[in-house]
Amino acid sequence: MTPSDSPPVEVPTPRGIHLMAKPVGPLCNLDCSYCFYLEKEAFFPKKERFRMSDEVLEAYVERYIQVQTTPVVEFTWQGGEPTLMGVDFFRKAVQLQKLHANGKTIRNTLQTNATLLDDEWARFLAEEKFLVGVSLDGPQHLHDIHRCDKQGRSSFDATVRGLQCLLAAGVDCNVLVTVSREVSKEPLAVYQFLKELGIRYIQFNPVVERITAPQEKAIGLYFARPPNLSMVPVKDTADTPAYTTAFAPEVTAQSVEAHGYGDFLIAIYDHWVRHDVGDVHVINFDWALAAWCQVPASVCLFSPRCGKAAIVEHDGSVYSCDHFMYPEYHLGNLQQDDLATMMQSPQQERFGAAKEERLPQVCRTCSYQFACHGECPKNRFATAPDGEYGLNYLCPSYLKYFRHITPSMNGMAQLLAHGQAASLIREAFKGPLIVKSGKTIQQQSS
């Protein structure tokens, strides 16, 4: 959603389930040091092939379309690196989608490191109207800190070359910046670099990972499991039980600092809101603006509950969430189990409800609960000021960020409510604006 495009903000179509595909599982041609998915190879047999078969592909396409209650079906392909499957795999996927569409509109999104893309890939993605997300962490000196290949070599040139192939072919694409500790220190350098590349859709994802416990390291994990896997009830009352954790590891060196992510967002926001609203779409800011416009969250991250966005692995296995790909969250297999039954199972319902039910009291009374809802449960391993466990690690960042953007978010929400473009907020920095009834704007002299 891009609410800064044009007014008014519309309530999105009803959300069905979302089942993201991992056609090569955790396999990747890069070896990004912050990647939380590479380690999932430990949960498969040592000689696993990690390629989605034709049978699993068709089961995924057919059953995913069948179970949707919405007129639009969104397919998302991720990894690992999904382009390792080759372009013919995706041609086959598109053919199957057309075969089983049954009158529904099909959309495809591909998340890639772009290093394997060439003109053939770009033509296909353009012809089939794929939305492509490219992982690029800014200028080379930042990108190559954590995004090297298996031999420790730079991936920067190959990534930019692939991105330029997409742009030249007219592919709709955005850039996903993974905000590590180092990236968070240079917000404007990252933002200006992407603008100079011609990127107009940008998303920022913070790195938050914890150091493994000995038993996790022993089974081949690089990062700690989600906090609730180590949480145990400490009392049982008529209300929701309280929880504690037996092991509260430190975050990894790559992880953004608890306050640093907020500083990063604020620095970019201050430039964007003065110069780029309507021209550059920073998805994080669009999410916030939607909340200020009282539009239901379009992403699980900021929804009151989760559980509607699962993943299907290369072998047909379905898990509760991309960040919870652990045996405890295995729901079944597409080839043997009904997808609707898996997504509506008591196990998945409990998973989705836990986000809201375990929200700390400090969050329930927070002025910004409407925009945050405690963010992702995987990041809830901090202790609140009142001593309650389960506060989001990034809470200090979100608090300062939401406080900082409130005045201009209120202004943009007011503009949209009066049928005006949110981009007019830029004029407010030249002098106060009056939003008149009848869709007129006046700028007062300062």
Side-chain angles (χ1 to χ4, degrees), residues 3-30:
S4 54
D5 254 343
S6 59
V9 172
E10 297 181 356
V11 176
T13 55
R15 290 177 61 194
I17 65 167
H18 188 71
L19 189 64
M20 179 169 65
K22 304 273 192 174
V24 294
L27 287 194
C28 190
N29 60 320
L30 300 188

Side-chain angles (χ1 to χ4, degrees), residues 183-208:
V183 167
S184 72
K185 307 295 185 185
E186 300 189 45
L188 293 181
V190 171
Y191 183 65
Q192 295 291 0
F193 170 77
L194 296 178
K195 283 178 61 179
E196 289 169 7
L197 276 181
I199 304 304
R200 292 299 176 261
Y201 290 85
I202 304 167
Q203 181 178 334
F204 301 112
N205 276 8
V207 177
V208 179

Side-chain angles (χ1 to χ4, degrees), residues 32-36 39 146 178-182 184-185 206-213 216-217 221-225 247-258 378-379 381 393-394:
C32 302
S33 59
Y34 52 54
C35 181
F36 66 90
E39 65 173 8
H146 296 296
T178 306
V179 185
S180 63
R181 188 165 305 197
E182 296 88 351
S184 72
K185 307 295 185 185
V207 177
V208 179
E209 297 295 344
R210 297 173 301 144
I211 298 170
T212 53
E216 293 166 329
K217 188 177 294 186
L221 298 183
Y222 311 153
F223 306 118
R225 298 185 301 168
F247 180 69
E250 296 179 356
V251 296
T252 62
Q254 305 98 316
S255 295
V256 67
E257 293 170 311
K378 91 171 187 69
N379 296 333
F381 52 85
Y393 168 79
L394 292 173

Side-chain angles (χ1 to χ4, degrees), residues 232-251:
V232 294
V234 295
K235 67 177 180 180
D236 192 8
T237 68
D239 300 320
T240 304
Y243 288 79
T244 187
T245 182
F247 180 69
E250 296 179 356
V251 296

Side-chain angles (χ1 to χ4, degrees), residues 285-331:
F285 305 155
D286 284 343
W287 291 335
L289 182 53
W292 257 262
C293 292
Q294 301 180 28
V295 175
S298 60
V299 289
C300 59
L301 194 67
F302 297 119
S303 298
R305 294 189 172 207
C306 52
K308 299 297 183 183
I311 64 165
V312 57
E313 260 289 344
H314 67 289
D315 61 356
S317 297
V318 177
Y319 292 86
S320 292
C321 171
D322 189 28
H323 290 285
F324 288 78
M325 192 277 176
Y326 299 90
E328 294 88 345
Y329 295 96
H330 181 248
L331 299 175

